[in-house]
Amino acid sequence: METTDITPKTSHNRTVENFDIQKYMGVWYEIARYENIFERGLVDVWTRYTLLPDKTVKVENSGRNRHGKEKKIFGTAFQPNPGKPAHLKVSFFWWFASDYNIIMLGPDYSYSVVSGNNGKYLWIMSRNRIMDGTTLDHIFQFLRTRGFNPSKLVF
């Protein structure tokens, strides 16, 4: 299976080299994540990215808690360095922006792997709610080469 970045790397946050932000826009479904305080207990998580005229990105995150109640949060993302287009900063609170590093990306933008905070955060995202086992195995192999532990993922 070919991707835009499958070479083993040592850095958790080394981003893909070829990235088109317009192709990345739209809805992404969370397949798995490292558990984090922001999403603790949420299921059916998805994110919608919308490119705005000023080149910032509107971010809408949504998920359901264990009682089925939908939780939403809105934020903004931007590319701080045009030379590293797959590195974004995302802010849900105006005073704090977190790294959003796209470290793996399907050649057709059908899936992505995102890392943040030097590997503390990790997400496997897909354009579909379900990911096939072959693609997931390929991602796991990639994650191991980058120093991540797939057994820590919450699906």
Side-chain angles (χ1 to χ4, degrees):
M1 177 175 294
E2 186 179 328
T3 67
T4 57
D5 185 11
I6 60 170
T7 308
K9 310 284 193 267
T10 56
S11 170
H12 285 113
N13 294 328
R14 179 143 182 210
T15 59
V16 297
E17 294 180 15
N18 298 312
F19 179 73
D20 180 338
I21 196 165
Q22 289 189 358
K23 288 182 182 179
Y24 200 76
M25 297 299 100
V27 174
W28 289 88
Y29 298 97
E30 181 182 280
I31 302 299
R33 68 175 179 259
Y34 277 0
E35 189 63 270
N36 61 70
I37 194 167
F38 313 111
E39 297 177 290
R40 186 164 289 136
L42 293 181
V43 296
D44 297 330
V45 177
W46 58 267
T47 303
R48 177 179 291 118
Y49 301 104
T50 306
L51 190 61
L52 301 175
D54 67 359
K55 303 296 184 199
T56 61
V57 177
K58 177 182 171 186
V59 181
E60 175 186 359
N61 280 358
S62 180
R64 289 184 303 108
N65 67 17
R66 65 182 177 186
H67 304 293
K69 182 175 180 177
E70 186 178 34
K71 301 284 186 173
K72 279 192 178 193
I73 188 167
F74 295 89
T76 303
F78 63 95
Q79 294 172 306
N81 180 351
K84 293 181 71 177
H87 167 75
L88 289 85
K89 291 282 193 176
V90 177
S91 177
F92 291 99
F93 309 101
W94 66 270
W95 64 88
F96 177 75
S98 188
D99 288 326
Y100 184 98
N101 299 296
I102 301 160
I103 63 172
M104 185 180 197
L105 184 61
D108 57 356
Y109 287 69
S110 62
Y111 64 89
S112 71
V113 179
V114 177
S115 173
N117 200 10
N118 290 318
K120 179 179 177 184
Y121 302 118
L122 183 69
W123 292 270
I124 298 174
M125 310 290 287
S126 175
R127 295 292 189 174
N128 299 305
R129 291 183 186 273
I130 299 171
M131 182 176 281
D132 68 86
T134 302
T135 302
L136 202 51
D137 288 344
H138 179 68
I139 291 170
F140 285 176
Q141 180 182 359
F142 171 82
L143 289 173
R144 287 184 195 98
T145 69
R146 295 290 286 267
F148 290 97
N149 181 353
S151 69
K152 290 176 46 179
L153 289 164
V154 174
F155 287 82

